[in-house]
Amino acid sequence: MKLCSARLVYILGLVAFSATLTQAASVADTALYRGADRQARLEKGARTEGEFVWYTSVNGEDIQRVVELFEKRYPFIKTKAVRLTSARMVQRYTAEYQAGTFLADILDTNDVRIEFFRRKGMLQPYYTPLAESFDKRFIHPQRFWVANRVTMIVLGYNTRMVKPSEAPQNYEQLLDSKWKGKMSLEQEDTPWFMALMWHWGEEKGKSFFQKLRDQEPKIRVGHTHLAQLIMAGEDFLSPTTHSQGMATGQRKGAPVDWVNLEPVVGLTNVSALAKNAPHPHAAMLFLDFMLEKDGGQKAIRDVNRIPTHPEVLPNPPRLREGFEFVIVDPVKYIDTIDRYNKLWREWVLQ
C-alpha cells in the first residue's frame, strides 16, 4: 500500500512538473511573439483570460490612475493589483514560485529587486515593439524589462535658507566651508554613492566623499522625511533628494527648489513578466500599455513621477531634460553592494 502511495505521489509530481513546463513554454511563446497579428492575438487571448495580477510597489493613488486608464483601453480585462513593498514582493513571489503556486503575472518595482528575480530564473524575457523608442539606458540587454519611470537624485534646497544664486551648481561646490553643518544626507543612499564612484573612479571618489564627511552633514532616514525637513527649513540643502519630491513640494507652495548636479544619478523602476504567468496575453497588453505615450507614460506623468518615454516630458521638463545622468546598474549593484555599503559607512557616515 505504501509503495502504491509513493508511486502515486511520484506520478502526480511528474504531472505537475510537466504542466509547469507546458505553461512556461506557452508564456514564452506569447511573450516573444513578433508576428504582424501580435496585437490581435494578444487581445483574443486576453478576452479569454479576462484578468491579470499585478504585484506592484506603486502607491495606491498612482495604482488607481494606471488601472483607470488601462481598463478604459481594455474594458474586457480586470486588473487585480496587489500592493506590496519591494522587500515584501521579493518574499512573497519567491515563496510562491518555490511552492509552484503561480499567481502573479506582472512584477513592478525597482530594477534591483527585479534583477534578483532574473538571476533566480523567475522571469520571462519579452518582446515589445515599443522598446525601440526608448533610451538604451532604460532597456535591459536581454529584454527582461524596459524602465517605465525613473527617479533622479538631485540637490534639493530651501529657498528661504539658500538663495538660488548661491546654491551649489556642481559637486565640488558642496565642499565650500559655508555649507558645513547645514547639509543633510539620506543614510541609505548607497546607490548614489556607488554610481558616482563608478563614474569618477575610486581615487577621485574617495577624496570627494571624505571631504563631504568633513562638512558634518546631518544623517536622515528616508527621502520623504528628508524632503519634509528641507521644506520646513530645518535642513538647508541635501544632494540626496528626489527631484519629483522637490517638484511636488514646489507645486504645493513649499519654499524649495533643486539643482541637477551632473552627473545626476538615476534609479529606475520597471515592470517584468513572471516566468509562469497565468494570464500572459493580458499581461503583455499591460506591459505594452505601460510604455505607450498616451497610456502608462501619461499616467506616470499625471501622478507627478518621471516617465521614461522621450516624447512624454515630466512636469516640469527639467526633471528629466537638460542634464547628463547615469543609471545605477542593478547587476553591478548586487555584485558590489557589500563593498560599497562598507565604504559608504567608513568614508561618509562615521
Side-chain angles (χ1 to χ4, degrees):
M1 185 69 176
K2 289 183 179 179
L3 182 61
C4 291
S5 296
R7 184 183 179 87
L8 179 60
V9 170
Y10 177 72
I11 292 172
L12 290 175
L14 286 178
V15 170
F17 180 67
S18 177
T20 298
L21 289 179
T22 301
Q23 173 65 8
S26 175
V27 173
D29 287 344
T30 300
L32 299 172
Y33 187 70
R34 293 174 176 244
D37 62 338
R38 178 179 178 274
Q39 181 69 22
R41 182 168 166 168
L42 290 179
E43 289 190 26
K44 181 180 179 181
R47 287 180 183 276
T48 300
E49 294 164 353
E51 64 181 25
F52 78 99
V53 177
W54 178 28
Y55 284 8
T56 180
S57 59
V58 172
N59 67 48
E61 182 180 342
D62 295 359
I63 289 172
Q64 184 177 357
R65 178 58 177 157
V66 171
V67 170
E68 177 184 293
L69 287 177
F70 179 73
E71 293 186 351
K72 183 178 181 180
R73 176 80 58 84
Y74 300 109
F76 51 88
I77 302 174
K78 176 66 176 176
T79 305
K80 292 188 174 181
V82 180
R83 191 187 183 285
L84 302 161
T85 64
S86 295
R88 177 62 184 140
M89 187 184 302
V90 170
Q91 295 169 354
R92 177 165 172 168
Y93 180 59
T94 300
E96 291 172 351
Y97 190 89
Q98 291 174 344
T101 304
F102 305 116
L103 304 177
D105 294 292
I106 301 292
L107 305 160
D108 180 288
T109 187
N110 66 70
D111 60 4
V112 171
R113 303 290 189 177
I114 299 299
E115 169 62 14
F116 170 82
F117 293 141
R118 186 194 69 81
R119 292 185 176 207
K120 297 294 184 180
M122 298 159 67
L123 300 180
Q124 169 61 52
Y126 62 88
Y127 164 75
T128 172
L130 296 167
E132 304 309 318
S133 299
F134 287 75
D135 187 314
K136 290 183 179 179
R137 285 173 289 187
F138 297 134
I139 303 173
H140 186 269
Q142 285 78 50
R143 300 301 177 108
F144 278 91
W145 65 75
V146 180
N148 53 55
R149 57 197 187 279
V150 62
T151 295
M152 299 295 186
I153 301 177
V154 302
L155 174 77
Y157 65 94
N158 184 296
T159 54
R160 292 175 182 164
M161 315 303 290
V162 179
K163 295 179 181 179
S165 60
E166 297 179 355
Q169 299 298 306
N170 56 57
Y171 289 103
E172 288 301 317
Q173 290 179 10
L174 291 171
L175 306 179
D176 191 304
S177 59
K178 68 182 177 182
W179 305 122
K180 189 169 185 174
K182 298 178 180 179
M183 197 184 313
S184 54
L185 299 173
E186 205 286 322
Q187 74 168 4
E188 300 299 331
D189 244 328
T190 316
W192 173 71
F193 168 75
M194 184 184 293
L196 290 176
M197 288 290 292
W198 294 335
H199 185 79
W200 288 333
E202 188 139 331
E203 183 178 350
K204 178 179 177 179
K206 181 178 181 179
S207 174
F208 171 80
F209 282 108
Q210 289 186 338
K211 290 177 181 177
L212 188 68
R213 177 192 58 198
D214 293 341
Q215 291 287 66
E216 300 177 2
K218 300 170 185 175
I219 306 304
R220 304 305 191 187
V221 180
H223 290 96
T224 299
H225 180 56
L226 177 60
Q228 290 170 343
L229 291 173
I230 292 174
M231 291 178 196
E234 185 169 338
D235 290 354
F236 284 40
L237 73 165
S238 171
T240 60
T241 61
H242 289 171
S243 59
Q244 66 262 34
M246 292 293 99
T248 298
Q250 198 174 66
R251 278 191 289 271
K252 293 180 178 180
V256 294
D257 205 343
W258 72 95
V259 177
N260 296 313
L261 301 182
E262 297 184 89
V264 173
V265 174
L267 308 168
T268 60
N269 282 68
V270 307
S271 296
L273 182 63
K275 181 67 173 291
N276 297 291
H279 312 99
H281 298 86
M284 285 304 304
L285 288 176
F286 183 76
L287 288 170
D288 282 355
F289 171 82
M290 288 299 288
L291 302 176
E292 290 177 2
K293 289 191 297 183
D294 297 324
Q297 293 294 286
K298 180 179 184 298
I300 289 168
R301 183 188 62 195
D302 289 350
V303 297
N304 298 320
R305 295 186 181 272
I306 305 176
T308 51
H309 195 290
E311 297 177 25
V312 183
L313 297 180
N315 178 26
R318 71 184 178 104
L319 286 167
R320 200 190 68 208
E321 284 206 331
F323 56 88
E324 178 192 359
F325 68 91
V326 294
I327 296 296
V328 176
D329 184 331
V331 175
K332 285 186 179 180
Y333 180 93
I334 292 177
D335 288 344
T336 60
I337 183 59
D338 290 342
R339 177 174 185 268
Y340 283 106
N341 267 335
K342 182 174 181 291
L343 294 179
W344 170 249
R345 279 156 178 74
E346 289 179 357
W347 294 354
V348 183
L349 299 188
Q350 290 185 359

